[in-house]
Amino acid sequence: MSDTKAILAIAKKTIENEAEAISFLATLLNEDFSNAVECIRHSKGRVIISGIGKSALIASKIVATLNSTGTPSIFMHAADAIHGDLGTVQKDDVVICISKSGNTAEIKMLVPLIKRGKNKLIGMTGNPDSFLAAQADYILNTYVEKEACPNNLAPTTSTTAQLVIGDALAICLLELKGFSSKDFAKYHPGGALGKKLYLRVGDIASNNQIPQVSTKSDVKSVIIEISEKMLGAAAVLEDQKIVGIITDGDIRRMLNKYDNIYGLTAKDIMSVTPKTIASDVLAVKALEIMQANNISQILVVDGENYKGIVHLHNLIKEGIL
């Protein structure tokens, strides 16, 4: 028990220390930050982000965030840059160098080369008196009083600060560009996130069979239709218009209610006013309707025309749920 308390106390202290440092970052924001955002926003080139050690890992993450939110970016390792990769930087590119101290050997070698190319240089550093800060056109101050590491050695709080400033850059650019959820979907076509942003009900229904019966269909025909189409339900149509739905649950309720089902038709056992959804609506909306109404299927329509069924299992398979 004592070990558990000690572990939780250390974890809590780490989180509190980093949270305090992140809050302090807000007080360090100044015109340099705003100017750096505008510099990137109006640049005709890309954002090249470089660093060494743990800062290089943070640089990679910031690159990924910028790319996914509409700002073309490339990672360039500082050590590799001075051994041939400097060719990554093109005429109109903006370069961000990340370094806690701002005085590492690689940064001191790289910065003059960038300046020689006349590219705008943004320095992200925790040391505003450093070589990097002195050479940068704009400084993003990521100063932290101490690392979460008890020896004040392992990059912890400082790299978290770099990450947060990177996120702040990305979100500022996103909002200034009016980057929408539709734009976001273009860059995230795969996985559950992308599907929530672009997958439509009609896309799913088109891959399913279309179970349907008429109001006069006998019970046996209804059961066969539901079983063969494997969606747990069938739409009931009259003059090609939806008038009801019969689900597995309706079949069970029928068996409980009637001792003799001979002579019963779909009209006798269907549920009227079934939930429907337009084929061009996002699939995630279908999930919301299903959850709100505690149902497993929803009928898909195009105007007044019946187009099929989307089942909860379809949404699970697509990763929507």
Side-chain angles (χ1 to χ4, degrees), residues 62-75:
I62 296 174
V63 164
T65 301
L66 288 172
N67 279 326
S68 71
T69 53
T71 301
S73 306
I74 296 177
F75 169 68

Side-chain angles (χ1 to χ4, degrees), residues 75-93:
F75 169 68
M76 179 179 69
H77 197 283
D80 293 334
I82 58 179
H83 291 286
D85 282 4
L86 190 61
T88 300
V89 183
Q90 300 298 304
K91 177 183 175 183
D92 295 317
D93 293 341

Side-chain angles (χ1 to χ4, degrees), residues 117-169:
K118 301 188 183 304
N119 295 86
K120 288 293 184 181
L121 174 63
I122 300 170
M124 185 185 295
T125 179
N127 182 4
D129 297 320
S130 64
F131 175 83
L132 174 60
Q135 296 296 316
D137 295 291
Y138 310 110
I139 304 169
L140 305 181
N141 193 343
T142 55
Y143 171 78
V144 296
E145 184 177 349
K146 60 182 179 180
E147 300 287 3
C149 166
N151 299 314
N152 197 29
L153 294 174
T156 46
T157 308
S158 60
T159 47
T160 301
Q162 294 168 353
L163 193 63
V164 169
I165 290 298
D167 285 345
L169 272 177

Side-chain angles (χ1 to χ4, degrees), residues 166-180:
D167 285 345
L169 272 177
I171 299 306
C172 285
L173 290 164
L174 179 153
E175 294 206 17
L176 288 171
K177 292 178 179 180
F179 195 82
S180 68

Side-chain angles (χ1 to χ4, degrees), residues 291-310:
Q291 290 177 326
N293 293 276
N294 196 29
I295 56 178
S296 300
Q297 303 95 346
I298 189 167
L299 302 183
V300 180
V301 295
D302 185 359
E304 294 185 355
N305 298 318
Y306 170 55
K307 291 296 182 180
I309 290 178
V310 169

Side-chain angles (χ1 to χ4, degrees), residues 22 40 73 80 90 95 113 115 145 164 167-169 172-173 195 211-212 223 225 229 232 239 248 257 260 273 303 315:
I22 296 310
I40 295 171
S73 306
D80 293 334
Q90 300 298 304
V95 181
L113 299 174
K115 298 290 287 184
E145 184 177 349
V164 169
D167 285 345
L169 272 177
C172 285
L173 290 164
K195 288 181 179 180
Q212 62 185 63
I223 294 174
E225 180 71 359
K229 302 298 172 62
D239 297 327
D248 289 336
K257 183 177 180 180
N260 182 6
T273 62
L315 302 180

